[in-house]
Amino acid sequence: MVDYLIVGLGLAGISFCEQLEKNNKSFKVISDTSQTSSIVAGGLYNPVILKRFTLAWQAEEQMKEAKSFYVSLENKLGVKLDYTLPVYRRFHSIEEQNLWFEASDKKGLDKFLNTKIKPSTNPGIDAPFGYGEVVGTGRIDTQTLVSSYRDYLRTKGLLSEETFDFSNFNQTEGGVKYGSFSAKKIVFAEGFGLKNNPFFNYLPLQGSKGEYLFIKAPELKEERAIKSSVFIIPQGNDIYRVGANYERNDKTNLPTESAKEKLLAKLRSVLKTEFEVVDQVAGVRPTVVDRKPLVGCHPEIKSLYVLNGFGSRGVLIGPSVSKQLYALVEGNESLDPEIDIARFTQKYYR
């Protein structure tokens, strides 16, 4: 018997695995490749919601936790994950410049918003009103993170690469049993796959499909992430990631021509240089009706836990929220009420 079974190995599953290893807990991971949102994510860690110039939920605390978390993972896995990357918000008008100045005076935001307007210096981007700079931002290479972590678990014999079959799952007097695996507790970190989980599908996980284009633009020569109507994120070797959209009706991981055309239309309104599309990816983000994570214990079965609902900010949310879940399970510490699934208990009993 191990201490934990973990179902899912995206940003949520990896974050919780790290809590377990840090505290010398034994575990096994069960994961297939059906959920792609962590792999295709843009990976930006940015504390500011750039559409409204507001601070993201618990951004300051999450930034502190995330930085040390990814440094530790780089050392552990022997790969480069964290890339310092300035994020520039393209202004559409003088009014937006003024709103930026107003926001930079607000407590909390003042730490992250540079008050100096950055002029447009790249002829390949149409930015007559310049940019606002967010301080302390960067990009996590989530694809490398997920693939490297899978390799790490394989070498230790801790990963079972299969689709979780609930017909093989049973509760026992001492915890849970899945096939030949027995554990004291199980944590479901399946992303949008939670919709098919009979124990937690009462939770209001909505799901929002996001699609990214990869373009090659040899003349652009941009080293900053530019946020306008879309994000333009440099990947190296003249490749840029462009996106993403938010589609709530389509819940597949398949790229679509309609999303491609919408992203291209937005991109062409900003770029003034030639480019070609070289790839397109898609994934369904695990989004929640109140835009807060889903964390906690099942209302009736005390060996079942959930870690989900990170939305589009998983690289920031994962480390701090998984730490809270571990403190709940092992130390009986209370969760932040904003993330505790107890806020939806009434839905379970309906």
Side-chain angles (χ1 to χ4, degrees):
M1 175 179 282
V2 295
D3 294 316
Y4 289 85
L5 286 180
I6 300 171
V7 183
L9 196 64
L11 290 167
I14 290 171
S15 297
F16 197 71
C17 285
E18 285 299 285
Q19 289 298 321
L20 298 181
E21 287 219 324
K22 179 180 175 181
N23 290 280
N24 298 312
K25 297 294 182 180
S26 59
F27 64 92
K28 292 275 189 179
V29 178
I30 300 163
S31 179
D32 59 18
T33 56
S34 63
Q35 301 305 311
T36 62
S37 63
S38 290
I39 297 172
V40 306
L44 287 179
Y45 53 89
N46 162 34
V48 181
I49 299 172
L50 291 172
K51 185 177 182 179
R52 302 187 294 273
F53 304 160
T54 56
L55 200 62
W57 173 73
Q58 295 188 351
E60 188 171 355
E61 298 86 345
Q62 290 169 4
M63 286 280 283
K64 290 177 183 176
E65 193 74 40
K67 290 296 287 184
S68 61
F69 178 82
Y70 292 111
V71 168
S72 175
L73 272 175
E74 285 182 326
N75 294 332
K76 178 177 187 170
L77 302 175
V79 294
K80 177 69 173 173
L81 299 173
D82 189 353
Y83 295 85
T84 299
L85 183 67
V87 173
Y88 276 34
R89 168 59 152 83
R90 174 179 175 267
F91 294 129
H92 298 84
S93 64
I94 296 295
E95 288 75 18
E96 278 200 338
Q97 291 181 350
N98 293 333
L99 290 173
W100 182 270
F101 287 128
E102 290 176 15
S104 65
D105 284 334
K106 296 178 181 177
K107 184 175 175 58
L109 278 168
D110 56 350
K111 298 178 181 178
F112 299 113
L113 301 186
N114 190 329
T115 56
K116 293 183 180 179
I117 300 297
K118 301 290 183 177
S120 175
T121 56
N122 189 334
I125 300 177
D126 181 28
F129 300 101
Y131 304 93
E133 179 187 14
V134 186
V135 177
T137 55
R139 177 178 71 88
I140 300 299
D141 184 343
T142 58
Q143 185 171 4
T144 296
L145 170 58
V146 174
S147 62
S148 298
Y149 210 88
R150 278 186 171 271
D151 290 342
Y152 170 75
L153 293 181
R154 285 189 193 108
T155 62
K156 298 188 74 174
L158 300 179
L159 177 62
S160 178
E161 299 181 77
E162 61 179 282
T163 300
F164 192 87
D165 182 355
F166 283 94
S167 67
N168 286 335
F169 177 71
N170 296 287
Q171 302 160 52
T172 66
E173 187 174 340
V176 298
K177 184 175 176 60
Y178 177 74
S180 61
F181 300 130
S182 294
K184 297 174 185 175
K185 302 172 182 69
I186 186 167
V187 175
F188 291 101
E190 313 133 292
F192 189 66
L194 189 75
K195 297 295 286 186
N196 298 319
N197 185 317
F199 299 102
F200 290 106
N201 59 8
Y202 71 93
L203 294 170
L205 191 73
Q206 295 178 320
S208 172
K209 183 175 181 177
E211 298 193 44
Y212 280 99
L213 303 180
F214 287 86
I215 65 167
K216 184 161 189 174
E219 303 302 319
L220 183 54
K221 306 303 180 189
E222 182 57 67
E223 297 181 350
R224 308 160 298 185
I226 304 297
K227 174 66 172 79
S228 184
S229 53
V230 289
F231 258 112
I232 304 169
I233 307 172
Q235 308 287 294
N237 300 317
D238 299 323
I239 302 295
Y240 300 85
R241 178 190 291 260
V242 177
N245 66 324
Y246 290 81
E247 170 58 52
R248 290 181 171 80
N249 295 319
D250 181 2
K251 297 300 195 294
T252 71
N253 293 322
L254 300 175
T256 62
E257 191 66 24
S258 61
K260 177 181 178 180
E261 291 305 316
K262 289 176 183 176
L263 290 172
L264 284 175
K266 292 178 179 179
L267 181 63
R268 290 182 179 121
S269 70
V270 178
L271 280 196
K272 297 162 63 178
T273 187
E274 294 297 315
F275 65 88
E276 63 172 320
V277 177
V278 295
D279 199 7
Q280 183 177 356
V281 295
V284 182
R285 311 174 189 90
T287 54
V288 185
V289 63
D290 63 1
R291 301 186 179 183
K292 298 295 190 302
L294 298 170
V295 186
C297 183
H298 189 272
E300 295 183 338
I301 309 168
K302 300 310 176 186
S303 55
L304 275 58
Y305 295 84
V306 65
L307 183 64
N308 209 310
F310 291 1
S312 60
R313 291 183 172 267
V315 294
L316 267 185
I317 291 174
S320 61
V321 169
S322 62
K323 190 175 182 179
Q324 280 200 52
L325 178 59
Y326 183 82
L328 167 73
V329 182
E330 294 294 335
N332 201 29
E333 295 184 22
S334 297
L335 291 169
D336 182 330
E338 289 188 289
I339 68 173
D340 194 335
I341 59 169
R343 68 193 193 272
F344 298 119
T345 297
Q346 287 185 340
K347 291 181 177 292
Y348 176 74
Y349 290 106
R350 284 177 186 170

